[in-house]
Amino acid sequence: MSRWQPGARERLERAALDLFLEQGFTETTVPQITARAGLTTRTFFRHFADKREVLFAGEEMVPELVARFMAEAPPSLGPMELITEGLAPAVAEIFEGRGLDYLLRRRAAIDAEPALHERELRKFALMSAALERGFRDRGADDLTARLAAEIAVTAVRIAVTRWLDQQGDPDLPATVNQTLAAMRRLTST
Amino acid sequence: MSRWQPGARERLERAALDLFLEQGFTETTVPQITARAGLTTRTFFRHFADKREVLFAGEEMVPELVARFMAEAPPSLGPMELITEGLAPAVAEIFEGRGLDYLLRRRAAIDAEPALHERELRKFALMSAALERGFRDRGADDLTARLAAEIAVTAVRIAVTRWLDQQGDPDLPATVNQTLAAMRRLTST
DNA sequence: TCAGTCATGGCACGTCGTGTCATGACTATC
DNA sequence: GATAGTCATGACACGACGTGCCATGACTGA
């Protein structure tokens, strides 16, 4: 490249999100995205495995973050204690990387397209699997590990929804804790 | 048709599942499926919206079943009571339609292919949305309805996994109740 | 200067999924 | 029975997706 430009990935992500919101996901073709980004179709698929992945870049690392977070937590904590005490800050680290504005636009695109919604569900499933492994490594039995992991991601998923609904206020850790509290209240009914 | 044959859908479903297990989902082409079923490619896409749907036929009705089930339940029951008392039998009605053998083979195919796993997650998301609507119609506030719905489907998802792991014994309602009990025990820790 | 590496372009190709029209079997009605 | 309507299927063309392969040009290090 003769002159420097913002990285190809960023340009593709921006162009894709804009087009998805303008025209819809299905109506947007990969050549349209790459034309707007000043690249070719072949290059798009070198950066993203498929058309949806352009909205999910960099999320491969979430399982690793989760694994590290759990390995570093005090071994004395039981699964539920770990969730109620450690989940909120860890989640903030994962989800607050990009600006709220980007996240809201991204969610609008995802909500409008079942295929993207499915991909979002897979993201949380991967997070759950990482949590489950973590709990098992900390000595939990299989069922407890699975339950704790699913409860944790459920709380996170609901909290993220509410947090975005409220335009980011209160902040994500607080919303996670509120959601967890409401969950405990409900299940003890 | 001059001679009667098992319905086209059934033949396609059987052929597809067999091929997915023999060769994998990606390696199986739609023409291969239709050739084995004695039909043409165009006919496949008249019966199923895409290649994955051949393993998810008839599940559009689940939201309706859920809606009916909730409308018929005594209005006095709170969300959590409704889950602990009504979920198990309702789930059995939904999931025990086909033989255990089919369900186990189907799960093997789904577990081997992320794209199919995503579709499975969407099925549960639709169930959750139907439950959420039902809880709201029964007077629950938004957060409670969402939480109760997600808790219910989480329990169902885990119960189905365990039930299949155990080759169907104990039966699904019992497994759902065990799972719910374990969940309450864990969250009250 | 030369070799190696890396991102990109360009092209061919197989598969997916849809629109459209034609055909043939069954059904109802007269 | 003859006729018209409905329904499932076949056949074909086509656009979009995603991949394999090779060429090119920029940067890097000896």
Side-chain angles (χ1 to χ4, degrees):
Chain A
M1 232 172 298
S2 52
R3 273 180 36 69
W4 192 87
Q5 299 202 332
R9 293 175 89 91
E10 285 85 353
R11 269 182 296 150
L12 289 168
E13 287 174 26
R14 257 189 262 283
L17 180 52
D18 288 348
L19 284 165
F20 292 168
L21 290 172
E22 288 169 22
Q23 317 180 336
F25 176 80
T26 310
E27 292 69 26
T28 301
T29 68
V30 175
Q32 280 174 359
I33 299 170
T34 53
R36 188 171 290 204
L39 294 167
T40 64
T41 301
R42 191 66 189 83
T43 298
F44 180 93
F45 289 110
R46 274 200 202 87
H47 286 280
F48 307 102
D50 63 55
K51 202 169 106 179
R52 298 178 311 169
E53 291 305 305
V54 73
L55 293 188
F56 295 88
E59 295 185 349
E60 323 78 52
M61 58 188 351
V62 169
E64 288 142 55
L65 280 176
V66 170
R68 184 165 53 73
F69 154 70
M70 297 191 75
E72 286 171 358
S76 59
L77 264 54
M80 215 53 204
E81 294 167 311
L82 183 56
I83 290 175
T84 51
E85 294 178 22
L87 192 59
V91 164
E93 188 178 340
I94 292 175
F95 284 86
E96 288 182 333
R98 308 236 198 185
L100 179 64
D101 179 52
Y102 169 79
L103 291 177
L104 285 169
R105 282 161 48 80
R106 180 176 169 279
R107 181 173 72 152
I110 290 173
D111 284 350
E113 175 59 44
L116 294 171
H117 185 230
E118 284 188 20
R119 180 60 182 81
E120 179 92 332
L121 293 174
R122 183 155 75 96
K123 176 179 76 181
F124 285 107
L126 293 173
M127 193 185 307
S128 176
L131 281 166
E132 187 183 346
R133 270 191 301 276
F135 285 127
R136 250 192 276 103
D137 290 347
R138 298 167 65 86
D141 64 279
D142 287 0
L143 178 55
T144 301
R146 174 89 195 270
L147 278 168
E150 295 283 4
I151 288 168
V153 295
T154 297
V156 171
R157 235 176 40 230
I158 296 176
V160 170
T161 304
R162 295 178 64 214
W163 177 62
L164 292 176
D165 285 347
Q166 299 154 352
Q167 313 289 320
D169 180 67
D171 66 15
L172 188 50
T175 309
V176 169
N177 284 331
Q178 286 174 9
T179 306
L180 274 169
M183 206 162 158
R184 297 180 71 122
R185 225 178 305 126
L186 181 61
T187 52
S188 63
T189 301
Chain B
M1 233 169 297
S2 52
R3 276 183 31 73
W4 192 86
Q5 299 204 330
R9 293 175 89 92
E10 284 86 351
R11 269 182 296 151
L12 288 168
E13 287 174 26
R14 256 189 262 283
L17 180 52
D18 289 347
L19 284 165
F20 292 168
L21 291 171
E22 288 169 22
Q23 317 179 334
F25 176 81
T26 309
E27 291 69 26
T28 301
T29 67
V30 173
Q32 282 173 0
I33 298 168
T34 53
R36 187 171 290 203
L39 293 166
T40 63
T41 301
R42 191 64 189 86
T43 298
F44 180 93
F45 289 109
R46 273 199 203 90
H47 287 280
F48 308 102
D50 63 57
K51 204 169 105 178
R52 298 177 310 168
E53 291 304 306
V54 73
L55 294 188
F56 294 87
E59 295 185 348
E60 322 79 53
M61 58 189 349
V62 170
E64 289 143 54
L65 281 175
V66 169
R68 185 165 53 73
F69 154 71
M70 297 191 76
E72 286 170 358
S76 59
L77 264 54
M80 216 52 205
E81 293 167 313
L82 182 56
I83 291 175
T84 51
E85 295 178 22
L87 192 60
V91 163
E93 187 178 341
I94 292 176
F95 283 85
E96 289 182 334
R98 308 236 196 186
L100 180 64
D101 179 51
Y102 169 79
L103 291 177
L104 285 168
R105 282 161 49 81
R106 180 175 169 282
R107 181 173 73 153
I110 290 173
D111 284 350
E113 174 60 44
L116 294 171
H117 185 231
E118 285 188 17
R119 179 60 181 81
E120 179 90 334
L121 293 174
R122 183 155 75 96
K123 176 179 77 182
F124 286 108
L126 292 174
M127 192 184 310
S128 175
L131 281 166
E132 188 183 346
R133 269 190 301 276
F135 285 128
R136 251 192 276 103
D137 290 346
R138 298 167 64 88
D141 63 279
D142 288 0
L143 177 55
T144 302
R146 174 88 194 269
L147 278 168
E150 295 283 4
I151 287 168
V153 295
T154 297
V156 171
R157 234 175 42 229
I158 296 175
V160 169
T161 305
R162 295 177 64 214
W163 177 61
L164 292 176
D165 285 345
Q166 299 154 354
Q167 315 288 319
D169 181 67
D171 66 14
L172 187 51
T175 309
V176 169
N177 284 331
Q178 285 174 11
T179 306
L180 274 169
M183 207 161 156
R184 297 180 71 123
R185 223 178 306 124
L186 181 61
T187 52
S188 63
T189 300

